[in-house]
Structure formats: C-alpha cells, structure tokens
Amino acid sequence: MEDDNLVLRAAGTTQAVRLSTDGSAGNFYDPETIAWSPDSRHLMIYRVRPGYARHVLRVEAAPEGKGQPGLRTQLYPKPGDAVDQEQPVLFDVADRRQTVVDPALFPNAYELSGPRWRADGRSVEFDYVRRGFGQARIVSVDAASGAAHAAVTEDAKTFVYADRRYSHDVKGLGNEIVWASERDGWNHLYLIDGRTGKVKNRITTGQWVVREVVRVDDEKRRIWFVASGMNAGEDPYFRHYYSIDFDGRNLTPLTPERADHTVSFSPDMQFFVDTYSRVDLPNVSELHRTADGALVQTIAKGDISRLTAAGFRAPEVFTAKGRDGKTDIWGLVVRPRDYDPAKKYPVIENIYAGPHDSFVPKSFWPFGYHSGGDKVIGMQALADLGFIVVQIDGMGTANRSKAFQDVAWKNLQDSGFPDRILWHKALAAKDPAYDIGRVGIYGASAGGQSTLNALLFHGDFYKAGVAMAGCYDNRMDKISWNEQWLGWPVDKSYADASGVDNAARLQGKLFMIVGEQDSNVDPASTMQVADALIKADKDFDLLVVPGGEHSVGRSTGPIDYVTRRLSEFFVRSLQD
C-alpha cells in the first residue's frame, strides 16, 4: 500500500505498479481485506470509508504498585454510531483493470465478510448483513465482468440471527449452497441454487431446530448435524446428532438416548464417540459406527455413588406453560442438601436471558449449575444457605422456534418475565415449601440488566436482586449485540428497556456490582443507573471493584469477596 492506494510489486523486484488512484485517508484501501484468486489473475480488496471512532475512557483508580491513577482507552462502537463502509473493488491484475462492484445488492451494510474466491477462480463471494439485521445475503461477483448477483438472500420481519448464519459452498464452485434459514419459523437447512438464489429443495423440515452443522460431504451429498426438539415428549433443548442426504432423504438418528449429547467423529467419519448426560444422569461415553449409529463399545460410565453418599441431590427439572397457555417453559430447581419439605424456603432465580442462546444446564454438572459463561456463585452453594434456587429459559431466548425468540425483538425489558412468573407460581402450587412471597433474583451482564428490570417492571413479585456488570441501557453497550435485538436506527425500544429512564419505578432491594475496568460493558452504564436512582430518591447498594473486569466475582477477580457479599445480601433481604 502507498498513500492509501493499492500497488503491485512482482516478487524479487523493486518496481511497483499502482493499481488504484482513488484511495485517500478518508476512503482507503484496506490491505487486510486483500483476497487473491486461485490463479492470481484477479484480486478483490475493500475500499473503506471509516465510521465514527468512539472510544470509552476508564480511570484506573488503584493501579497495582502505583500511587497515581491511570487512564485507559478502548475503541468501542455503540448503537447508532456510524460504522465503517466497505466497498468491494475487483482488480484484473494482468490487464490492470479496476472494477468497483455495484453496491445495489449490499446497501447500508452493517458488515461484510472477507472476500472468498471460488475454487475455479471464476467468481468471488462475500457475506452481507444489512444495518438493523433485517437481511443477510451472499453476494457473488463474476471475476471477468465484475457483475454481482445474490447467490442467496435471507429476509426477516424482525431480525436475521446473524451470529447463527451457516452456509456451505458445495465443491467450492458457487453452483449449490447449503444454507440455514428460519424462513418457515424453525431453523432448518435448504439447498440453494447459487446462480439464481432460489431454493432447489428443503433438506430438513419439522417443528424442531438445527443447532449446528458438523460435517458436509460434497461427494456423498450427505450432512451430519446437531438438532433439538425432534423427539416428542423429551426436553426440547437436548442436543442429538443426525445425518441426512442433500435431498432430505435417509434421515438417520445417531444418538437416540434421551439426554444431551456431545459427539466427536473420527477423521475418516467411520466412527464417533458419543458422550451424553442429563442433570440427573452422570456422563456416559460410547463408541459408535457412523453409518448407522450402532454401538461398538461402551467406553465409560460415570459413578456417583460416593457423591450421592456425601449428600448430592440432583436438580429437579420442572416445566410449566408460558404466557400463551400452550408453550412449555423449562427450568431447573436446586434445593438445599438438608431440604425439609415441611419448611418454607425463600426462592432465588439465577437469570440470564440474552436472546442469543438458551442457558438452563442440560448436562451433568453436580458442583454448581451456572448460566452462560458467567460462573457466579454455584446454585447449590447458594441453596445450602437456606434457599430454593432456580433457573428458567423464558420466551425471548434461542434454540426453540423463531416466534419463541422473536419475543425479545425491540423488547429486551421483557426477559421472559411473564413466562418466568407463571413458572414460579406453578411450582409454588405444587410445592408448599416454595415461598412465592419471598423471591429474589441475580444475574450478570445481560443477566444484570434483567435483574434490574425485574425490580423495575415486576417489583410486585421480585423482592430483592443482585445485578452484576449489567448493560442497563442498551445505548451504552456494544453495537453488535444491541442492534441485533433492538434494531437500527436507535428508537423508542432502547428507552423502553433502559434502567436509567425507568429508574424511578424501582421496588424492592437492589445491590449492583461492577468492575471498574469492565471492557465488555461500559461501566459508566452502572454509574448512570446509580445517578438516576439517587435523583429518584431510591435506596440501593453499590459495590465498585477497583481494577475489576467484566467477570469480576465470577471467573476472575475477588470471587470470594463478591460471593460473600452476594450471599449476605440475600440472607439479609430474604431470610431476616
């Protein structure tokens, strides 16, 4: 690169040929996006018009070994900010010809993937997501003419779940594409004609979801994939493995046991090791044949006899109908090891309701049960202090139908609370020990936001909450996560979900915890809620951990201190 332009220098020479002349500091050619065709005749590169370079500033008040505070800065785009605009440009290196690709098929891009050349070098493709996440597309560009066409297009009235996009270019030629789509209301696989963008045939179908594609064999025209919800009467979140032909025939279940499965295939795909479990079933590992799923040998079975003798009590799986009166809402119940059904126990809900996944554990994990990657105090340890601790996947989370997840669209303050509260009430009706009048809640990150919103919007039900590292106002949080669920441009839905704008609605007891150096969620979000609560004359507790990161009190930082403070808060708030 020279003066923000693309230059070509033959290997072993010093003579350079300038391929472009239209680059500038405000519209530069990005060398990180260069992609050469297999025959090196063509290349594609992006010319970039920079967006708004927003930086978050954080003061480090007590740096280790230093007397004076320090200042940290982080590039951190937020919702509504102008994003980089990338313009694909095609070069015929032999003829020194430049072609600016017509942007009509990728207007107002949130992002473009890096260019990918087809195996024969005759075309190049890239992924496009429109700002606001209402459309995703693969754009194919002819190498000779520079003409672009949509190899596949996905439209949604709400959002295309961009983080779960899947495509596979059959034989790398762009003629056929295996594509994951929720266009019928469930995440399924389709075979797309890459020349026309039309569906050649459905590969999978039914009221269940494809969770992951594991392997595609272009020669055998067969796919191995993970799905949930196919087996009637079973937990719809259990992961099972299957294989199927490109034409949708010969669907073969590989892991029939009623449990959550994780599979590792041999390099030649002749065998696989299946490890499966449930919250009440310790791990079992087996060797199977891939062709038909037949068992070859049992490798190991978990033995929890000593754990049971030590007082281990498996969590209870409980379901209740959601707000529509039809949909099953699944949750988990952890009771004290010395549980006495004749007593009354206050309840604590461990919440994480991010729309990007589901979070209630499905596999065997006897020492904690936690949500997402946030290892907050183990649910069993908290229960042993004299609580019933629960975790629930309400509407608005993923891995069910599109309609189930769409509840979160422009509605993050919902967090599935109408379903959660019905679930609590159903369990209380069944179990007299479940004290529905003393319900607390805790969570971190998006779970922190949900915890605060429980006390803002459902303070008649939730009495106390510990909110950690929350993104309490989505306008303050990272652009990628928030624009996917609340859309673009920034509108009233952001204010409706804001803990700052709704701070005056607070009921119950609130304890907020934040790491001073949180690089995932701007810690100013916590302080802005604190400011709004003070202005509304609301009482609350606040702990700021100097030097603490987003994971403070969970996987890193002063875990024991934060755990003690969280535990004491609930004992004081719900038991005293």
Side-chain angles (χ1 to χ4, degrees), residues 157-193:
K157 293 180 180 179
T158 55
F159 58 86
V160 175
Y161 190 178
D163 293 342
R164 290 275 179 97
R165 281 174 297 157
Y166 176 80
S167 66
H168 170 76
D169 187 347
V170 178
K171 295 186 177 181
L173 297 175
N175 296 323
E176 293 180 309
I177 298 170
V178 177
W179 178 256
S181 168
E182 292 182 294
R183 62 189 62 189
D184 78 340
W186 303 84
N187 195 48
H188 280 296
L189 299 178
Y190 296 76
L191 188 63
I192 306 293
D193 185 327

Side-chain angles (χ1 to χ4, degrees), residues 49-105:
R49 189 179 299 276
Y52 174 61
R54 180 185 295 279
H55 286 82
V56 166
L57 303 177
R58 299 189 299 272
V59 174
E60 186 177 14
E64 190 72 27
K66 298 179 181 178
Q68 296 300 321
L71 182 65
R72 294 190 183 183
T73 181
Q74 177 186 359
L75 183 64
Y76 191 100
K78 294 185 178 183
D81 286 351
V83 298
D84 291 354
Q85 293 297 303
E86 298 172 312
Q87 171 61 61
V89 182
L90 183 68
F91 287 92
D92 184 318
V93 176
D95 293 344
R96 306 290 191 264
R97 186 174 73 248
Q98 175 193 41
T99 303
V100 177
V101 179
D102 185 346
L105 289 174

Side-chain angles (χ1 to χ4, degrees), residues 295-486:
L295 176 66
V296 176
Q297 182 176 340
T298 298
I299 300 171
K301 286 188 176 182
D303 180 357
I304 60 169
S305 56
R306 293 175 62 189
L307 186 63
T308 303
F312 169 70
R313 176 195 296 268
E316 172 190 349
V317 176
F318 184 74
T319 63
K321 298 301 180 184
R323 69 189 77 180
D324 60 2
K326 300 181 296 183
T327 304
D328 284 334
I329 304 298
W330 290 72
L332 198 68
V333 186
V334 178
R335 303 177 190 273
R337 283 178 292 175
D338 61 357
Y339 175 71
D340 181 351
K343 293 182 178 180
K344 278 278 194 181
Y345 292 88
V347 177
I348 300 175
E349 180 180 344
N350 174 9
I351 189 169
Y352 193 93
H356 55 283
D357 211 341
S358 55
F359 306 97
V360 174
K362 301 299 173 183
S363 56
F364 191 71
W365 175 247
F367 303 112
Y369 294 104
H370 56 81
S371 63
D374 296 328
K375 297 182 180 179
V376 190
I377 178 176
M379 292 169 66
Q380 186 64 63
L382 192 55
D384 288 343
L385 296 176
F387 300 98
I388 296 176
V389 184
V390 303
Q391 191 173 356
I392 309 159
D393 280 322
M395 291 186 184
T397 51
N399 301 323
R400 301 282 289 274
S401 68
K402 173 67 170 166
F404 191 99
Q405 189 182 22
D406 273 352
V407 169
W409 173 244
K410 292 188 176 295
N411 189 32
L412 285 184
Q413 70 275 17
D414 181 278
S415 293
F417 283 122
D419 314 301
R420 296 169 186 277
I421 292 171
L422 287 171
W423 188 95
H424 281 287
K425 290 179 177 178
L427 184 51
K430 173 188 173 185
D431 184 357
Y434 200 87
D435 191 345
I436 198 73
R438 292 184 291 166
V439 180
I441 186 168
Y442 72 99
S445 194
Q449 180 182 28
S450 294
T451 296
L452 175 61
N453 284 343
L455 301 180
L456 297 182
F457 301 107
H458 303 279
D460 55 338
F461 183 81
Y462 293 97
K463 307 305 181 186
V466 178
M468 292 171 278
C471 43
Y472 304 113
D473 189 308
N474 301 93
R475 294 166 292 196
M476 288 289 292
D477 194 30
K478 65 196 75 64
I479 188 173
S480 57
W481 198 84
N482 295 276
E483 285 195 5
Q484 180 150 201
W485 316 121
L486 293 175

Side-chain angles (χ1 to χ4, degrees), residues 7-22:
V7 297
L8 183 66
R9 181 180 293 113
T13 70
T14 58
Q15 185 175 1
V17 176
R18 185 177 289 259
L19 292 182
S20 72
T21 59
D22 52 352

